[in-house]
Amino acid sequence: HGHILHGHAKPRWSTVSVEAATATMADGFSTALTMASLEDIHAAVGTFGIRRITLVSHQGDVSTVEAPA
């Protein structure tokens, strides 16, 4: 199956939830970050109003990356 961002690429994450300054930013980043590496996700937190990103792997593992306080 394809993905909304790329018809042939498999998302790296099953689920990405983003807490950001606006719902529009959270929605856009949650979609885009399904294709991102963990390194890129760590780099994104704290920028563009992103406060927290919760990730669910395809194996069901849950992790959270938070911006520094």
Side-chain angles (χ1 to χ4, degrees):
H1 294 134
H3 185 266
I4 191 170
L5 295 175
H6 191 287
H8 301 289
K10 180 181 177 188
R12 293 183 186 212
W13 305 99
S14 170
T15 303
V16 177
S17 176
V18 175
E19 292 179 34
T22 69
T24 303
M25 294 292 281
D27 183 51
F29 276 104
S30 66
T31 300
L33 292 174
T34 61
M35 305 298 278
S37 68
L38 186 56
E39 181 179 317
D40 290 339
I41 288 169
H42 276 277
V45 169
T47 63
F48 304 107
I50 298 173
R51 295 184 292 271
R52 178 181 303 156
I53 301 172
T54 302
L55 307 162
V56 180
S57 72
H58 291 287
Q59 294 76 32
D61 298 318
V62 177
S63 58
T64 301
V65 180
E66 295 189 57

